Amino acid sequence: VPEGILRRASRDATTRFVKMSFAISAQATCARVTGGVAVRRNEGMKSSFSGARVVQKDVVKLARKQVATVAAVSVPEGVTIEKMGKDLLNTTYYPKGEDTDNSRKPWIVIDAAGLRLGRLSTLIATYLRGANVGSYSPSMNMGTYVVVINAEKVTVSGNKMTEKIYRRHETGRPGSMKEETFVKLQQRIPERIIEKAVKGMLPKNRMGREIFNQLKVYAGPEHPHAAQSPVDLTAEVKAKCYSSSQRK
């Protein structure tokens, strides 16, 4: 008989012996240590254990990636599976469809007069995404509708009035690029400044485009959304926009 065949037969016999020994010892350990019931199902060389309720699992890896699981059983006296009820440990809340219904979203209004562009935009993006509420989930649209007025009076720090450049392509293709400073764009389309700043802080996907539609920016102090009864949060936004030394 060739030596390779004898070596392979010896290795296979050793593997079967290890599997059988572990199955017997695992079953005995489960019944002795945990005081539960262990059930062994023989499917070739595989063994599985089941009981009334699994509290912990001890996974032991064997050679050739063979894994056996010992399930510990712990059931109080007089309590059956039917009396346990729902799983109290799985309490993670996930938003439902009614939580993202646009008809139920609140409306807020913010007066941007004298506020810094960057700090204002971060707060607007936070309200739009709903990150200020306890039920926030990044994969769902949990935000509110935000109305911004007096966009023409928003300010920037330093020399950004003349040094901040906005670039655009008139044809949507490479070439024909137009450049415009902050002052010129504020005189021409003041709403565009806040819209571009906020849009850059939202997710770059379908949900981000949907959230961006909840932003309403107006250059003057008037807006056509009085029927939605928006709540004025200007005081709260000002308190968050300015540091203690900048508050007036």
Side-chain angles (χ1 to χ4, degrees), residues 62-233:
L62 298 179
R64 296 187 178 183
K65 300 181 180 180
Q66 298 290 337
V67 180
T69 304
V70 179
V73 179
S74 176
V75 180
E77 295 183 2
V79 178
T80 61
I81 298 179
E82 292 75 14
K83 295 181 180 180
M84 287 184 179
K86 64 178 183 179
D87 186 4
L88 300 179
L89 298 179
N90 188 14
T91 57
T92 302
Y93 174 79
Y94 191 77
K96 300 177 176 58
E98 55 267 20
D99 297 328
T100 61
D101 187 7
N102 289 338
S103 63
R104 304 173 64 177
K105 292 181 181 295
W107 287 65
I108 63 175
V109 59
I110 300 174
D111 188 355
L115 298 181
R116 295 282 178 84
L117 175 63
R119 292 178 178 268
L120 172 64
S121 300
T122 56
L123 291 174
I124 293 176
T126 301
Y127 288 125
L128 287 174
R129 296 206 64 189
N132 59 315
V133 297
S135 58
Y136 167 70
S137 178
S139 62
M140 303 287 282
N141 182 5
M142 304 293 296
T144 63
Y145 283 89
V146 180
V147 180
V148 182
I149 58 176
N150 288 324
E152 60 187 2
K153 298 180 181 180
V154 71
T155 63
V156 289
S157 61
N159 298 327
K160 297 185 181 71
M161 283 281 188
T162 55
E163 294 180 357
K164 186 174 177 62
I165 303 297
Y166 291 91
R167 298 177 176 87
R168 71 183 187 279
H169 292 274
E170 294 286 348
T171 60
R173 298 173 59 84
S176 303
M177 183 176 69
K178 304 295 182 181
E179 293 185 350
E180 201 170 15
T181 61
F182 180 90
V183 175
K184 291 183 179 180
L185 183 59
Q186 193 176 36
Q187 295 172 356
R188 191 170 65 92
I189 312 177
E191 303 93 336
R192 187 72 51 83
I193 294 176
I194 296 180
E195 289 175 352
K196 289 178 68 67
V198 174
K199 190 172 185 179
M201 300 177 184
L202 297 178
K204 310 303 185 292
N205 51 25
R206 180 169 53 187
M207 185 181 68
R209 294 188 291 272
E210 177 186 346
I211 293 175
F212 182 71
N213 291 331
Q214 298 172 193
L215 174 63
K216 317 293 181 182
V217 185
Y218 300 96
E222 302 296 332
H223 64 85
H225 304 289
Q228 282 72 30
S229 302
V231 180
D232 191 356
L233 294 184

